[in-house]
Amino acid sequence: MSNLLLLLILLPVASALVCYFVRSSAVRKLTVLGTAVVLTLASVGLLMQGTFEPIAVGSFLGISSDFLITVLDFALLGVIFYLGLKHKSLLIQGFTLAQAALLVWFEIVMLEHDAVPALVGDQLALIMVLVISIIGSLICVFAIPYMKEHEEHLHLKKSRQPRFFFYLVLFLGAMNGLVLSNNILWMYFFFEVTTLCSFMLIGHDVTEIATKNAVRALWMNALGGLAFVIGMMLVYMKAGTLDISAILAAGPQGALMITGVGFLCLAGFTKAAQVPFQSWLLGAMVAPTPVSALLHSSTMVKAGVFVVLRFAPAYVDTFLSTGVAICGAFTFVTCAALAIGQSNGKKILAYSTISNLGLIICCAGINTPLALTAAVMLIVFHAVSKSLLFLCVGTIEQAIGSRDIEDMRGLYAKLPRTALITVIGILTMLLPPFGVLMCKWMAIEAGADTNIFVITMLALGSALTVVYWARWGGSLMCSREQDTRTESQPMLTSLPLMLLCGGAIVLSLASPWIYNSMLAPWLGTAPFTLSFGSLNSATGSFAVVPLFVVLGLGVLFAAKAAAGFRRVKIMPPYLGGANSSTDGTYIGPMNGDVPFAAGNMYLGELFAEGKLTPIFNALAIALIVLMLGGAI
């Protein structure tokens, strides 16, 4: 058990060092592939061994592991402060100095330095390790050929891949350490490591806009780090321990504890890019696509929702719980609305990610077994489908030179495999019987027992979500062109895409058994029963396997009906009697030929990002202040 845990945390660190110091592309490729395989096997092995109680971690080279983490904490803050000086950011400098000062006070004056078991493995932690180690590894594998082509496009004289893969792989170890931590100080350290890694990866291309967005990400997450330290100190003042398992077992313990947990939730909000902190994640899309996939799907943003979920038992049935639910639901509906006005594929995915993270946080705030089921399962299904879609957009962008969904019309004629995988990825986010929609159904069921504001925002956000997914999917499927070319991709590009696509389908099909074997024991009170491949509750059921059977039959029928479509003559569109003699054009002003063109409506005036964002940010700040004020 201990060997597996150390492997999951320390192997990525060792592999990152190899990627950085051994400047051989062949060695780097083998290192990344080997790390991906070992992490995948280790995460599955840890799952097979089952949950485990908190365990201690011994010394390292004769140095206490807790002391080593403390030293690394201050070293990390020193690095972040230096970056604040380098980029002349007073916010980074101020937030970092405040963290360091509070940590000194905490370590020297407040903390009694009792031994605390460092690592724990409940069902939530094991599920998160699987998500990080498997999906994160596939993203790293995809990055091998992607970064080669990316640097060829930039015409770099000297490769930056050693540094890129150093932080990319290190990310995985930091995330595994965070989700397995039972000591709050350990969790804080790994929390800050992800902050540093995200800064370095967002600014990887060293352009002016990349640097600007990296600095913004750093100061916002430094604010989250400061909130984490304040929350940790307040929790310790009340509980007298850093042992997360003991804190959670005791449940809510008065205003001081609830306030401390409220600040921990605020730290989770910043890391998960909840409104009004969403701008750092939107800015992260300037980074190479594997960075976007890693930050938006399986790692950094999931660290934020994990913190809120991890401490949910400590604020159940409190005003803070209601406040968390309202803030999450607000992000869910507002970012779904902002996504409607976008045509940039990466930006749609970014807003969709923030929106879904808001839904997960809302479920953590609702804090019932049904809501927690929806939250954890949505983490899994969202990570698979969203990482798939980010990698698809990156592949498409390198092929056609654009990430605009309007430029993806007729994509099937040029990139049939990628287009089909992208459509499947979109459908897994949109339709039954796939897991994301099932989780939204669970969330709305859970929200029905809360206040009117939460359930209204969940219903409206779900409706808005349909608009931008259906529009994108429709654009991909509206091809009128014929092309006999076959798509050629490197194996390390196609393999992650195929595995993630298959995983999105298989995991949705297996969702009843995933719930029954992994979530029901963790929840204690099971909101669902399993029968005939369906999840049944007192208020309804989701017939997973029967719906998949219907879907399979529908796909077979559609394939048979469309078998001869390539032999059908494509006719020009009917243009209301104004067709000209040239196919695909109509008679326009001054009797001139005007080419026919199709395009989506983006309702720019109604869903104007520039106008709505300041309003949403102001409202979100007010909600967070009310949430923390109510807790105090």
Side-chain angles (χ1 to χ4, degrees):
M1 178 71 72
S2 298
N3 292 335
L4 281 177
L5 295 174
L6 293 176
L7 195 65
L8 288 164
I9 299 172
L10 295 182
L11 175 64
V13 178
S15 300
L17 292 171
V18 172
C19 289
Y20 187 79
F21 288 107
V22 181
R23 300 298 174 107
S24 165
S25 59
V27 171
R28 184 167 56 247
K29 179 178 178 180
L30 289 174
T31 301
V32 173
L33 290 174
T35 303
V37 171
V38 174
L39 285 181
T40 299
L41 295 176
S43 63
V44 173
L46 189 65
L47 177 68
M48 294 177 66
Q49 291 194 17
T51 59
F52 57 91
E53 295 297 318
I55 61 174
V57 175
S59 60
F60 181 75
L61 297 177
I63 304 173
S64 165
S65 56
D66 288 341
F67 177 75
L68 185 60
I69 289 293
T70 299
V71 172
L72 291 173
D73 266 334
F74 285 104
L76 188 59
L77 288 175
V79 172
I80 295 174
F81 181 76
Y82 165 75
L83 293 171
L85 289 174
K86 179 180 177 180
H87 295 284
K88 301 178 181 179
S89 172
L90 293 177
L91 288 173
I92 296 173
Q93 297 171 39
F95 292 144
T96 307
L97 284 177
Q99 288 183 64
L102 290 174
L103 271 181
V104 169
W105 176 265
F106 185 55
E107 292 278 357
I108 296 176
V109 178
M110 295 178 58
L111 195 59
E112 295 183 3
H113 296 284
D114 295 329
V116 175
L119 303 175
V120 68
D122 61 357
Q123 293 289 356
L124 177 59
L126 297 186
I127 290 171
M128 290 297 296
V129 167
L130 284 171
V131 170
I132 296 159
S133 299
I134 297 177
I135 299 176
S137 293
L138 287 173
I139 294 171
C140 291
V141 170
F142 177 90
I144 296 172
Y146 181 92
M147 290 307 296
K148 182 177 182 295
E149 186 167 344
H150 180 74
E151 292 194 340
E152 289 175 357
H153 175 72
L154 295 178
H155 305 293
L156 295 183
K157 295 180 179 179
K158 182 179 179 181
S159 174
R160 302 193 192 110
Q161 290 190 48
R163 187 182 69 175
F164 178 85
F165 280 97
F166 173 82
Y167 289 106
L168 198 72
V169 176
L170 182 63
F171 228 133
L172 303 184
M175 277 299 301
N176 279 334
L178 189 151
V179 301
L180 291 167
S181 292
N182 185 60
N183 185 322
I184 302 183
L185 271 173
W186 284 53
M187 180 181 282
Y188 166 71
F189 168 69
F190 291 119
F191 191 86
E192 289 298 277
V193 173
T194 63
T195 294
L196 177 62
C197 289
S198 68
F199 168 80
M200 301 304 295
L201 289 170
I202 294 171
H204 173 74
D205 284 341
V206 202
T207 61
E208 182 179 351
I209 188 171
T211 302
K212 177 182 176 181
N213 285 309
V215 170
R216 178 168 51 190
L218 188 57
W219 79 253
M220 283 193 177
N221 283 286
L223 171 62
L226 177 59
F228 199 111
V229 173
I230 295 172
M232 176 173 60
M233 295 174 68
L234 293 176
V235 168
Y236 182 80
M237 288 172 64
K238 177 63 178 179
T241 180
L242 296 173
D243 189 323
I244 295 175
S245 297
I247 293 169
L248 300 184
Q253 300 177 51
L256 186 62
M257 169 68 78
I258 298 302
T259 303
V261 175
F263 275 98
L264 292 175
C265 289
L266 176 60
F269 284 10
T270 62
K271 190 72 72 173
Q274 298 297 278
V275 180
F277 308 109
Q278 76 279 13
S279 60
W280 81 257
L281 197 63
L282 294 169
M285 69 181 180
V286 303
T289 291
V291 176
S292 300
L294 204 64
L295 263 63
H296 291 63
S297 61
S298 61
T299 54
M300 183 160 175
V301 293
K302 292 300 192 298
V305 296
F306 173 80
V307 170
V308 179
L309 265 175
R310 170 56 84 202
F311 288 96
Y315 60 84
V316 63
D317 296 327
T318 66
F319 182 85
L320 175 62
S321 193
T322 302
V324 169
I326 292 174
C327 288
F330 183 76
T331 293
F332 176 57
V333 67
T334 54
C335 287
L338 289 171
I340 290 178
Q342 308 300 321
S343 65
N344 183 311
K346 261 194 172 183
K347 206 162 190 178
I348 293 171
L349 293 178
Y351 271 124
S352 169
T353 295
I354 300 166
S355 178
N356 279 280
L357 295 175
L359 180 59
I360 296 170
I361 286 176
C362 176
C363 290
I366 295 172
N367 225 337
T368 62
L370 176 56
L372 295 177
T373 299
V376 178
M377 296 189 77
L378 186 55
I379 286 176
V380 176
F381 295 124
H382 175 263
V384 177
S385 295
K386 193 56 65 69
S387 58
L388 170 64
L389 287 170
F390 266 108
L391 298 187
C392 285
V393 169
T395 303
I396 293 167
E397 184 180 9
Q398 285 194 336
I400 69 173
S402 172
R403 60 179 69 158
D404 194 300
I405 65 173
E406 291 298 327
D407 296 329
M408 297 182 192
R409 290 181 178 275
L411 185 68
Y412 185 81
K414 304 179 183 69
L415 305 171
R417 183 190 304 142
T418 302
L420 181 59
I421 291 174
T422 306
V423 168
I424 292 173
I426 290 172
L427 294 180
T428 61
M429 292 291 299
L430 174 66
L431 295 177
F434 299 108
V436 173
L437 184 72
M438 179 183 70
C439 295
K440 288 181 179 177
W441 165 71
M442 292 179 182
I444 292 175
E445 289 278 358
D449 296 327
T450 61
N451 58 69
I452 187 65
F453 302 107
V454 170
I455 187 61
T456 300
M457 286 189 287
L458 292 186
L460 182 58
S462 297
L464 293 173
T465 298
V466 174
V467 176
Y468 59 80
W469 285 131
R471 181 177 60 198
W472 192 350
S475 296
L476 287 168
M477 292 188 286
C478 69
S479 173
R480 296 181 54 83
E481 301 178 26
Q482 295 189 36
D483 200 318
T484 58
R485 290 179 292 179
T486 57
E487 182 180 357
S488 176
Q489 288 178 334
M491 185 196 305
L492 296 183
T493 297
S494 60
L495 183 62
L497 293 179
M498 296 295 289
L499 289 176
L500 288 170
C501 182
I505 297 171
V506 172
L507 286 173
S508 293
L509 178 60
S511 57
W513 295 276
I514 294 174
Y515 162 79
N516 209 40
S517 61
M518 299 183 70
L519 280 178
W522 175 64
L523 294 166
T525 303
F528 293 105
T529 58
L530 176 61
S531 63
F532 300 105
S534 301
L535 289 171
N536 305 310
S537 70
T539 54
S541 64
F542 198 93
V544 178
V545 174
L547 285 172
F548 262 102
V549 172
V550 173
L551 175 64
L553 293 174
V555 169
L556 291 175
F557 176 79
K560 182 179 179 181
F565 84 98
R566 290 190 182 278
R567 296 189 297 270
V568 176
K569 181 182 178 182
I570 295 179
M571 300 299 294
Y574 176 68
L575 301 172
N579 289 33
S580 70
S581 57
T582 305
D583 286 348
T585 64
Y586 65 95
I587 300 173
M590 305 299 292
N591 291 322
D593 288 351
V594 179
F596 164 79
N600 287 303
M601 293 183 64
Y602 294 92
L603 306 176
E605 294 183 1
L606 185 60
F607 296 101
E609 182 182 30
K611 294 179 181 179
L612 293 179
T613 297
I615 298 171
F616 290 159
N617 286 349
L619 291 173
I621 291 171
L623 289 174
I624 291 173
V625 170
L626 288 173
M627 179 187 80
L628 293 177
I632 296 172

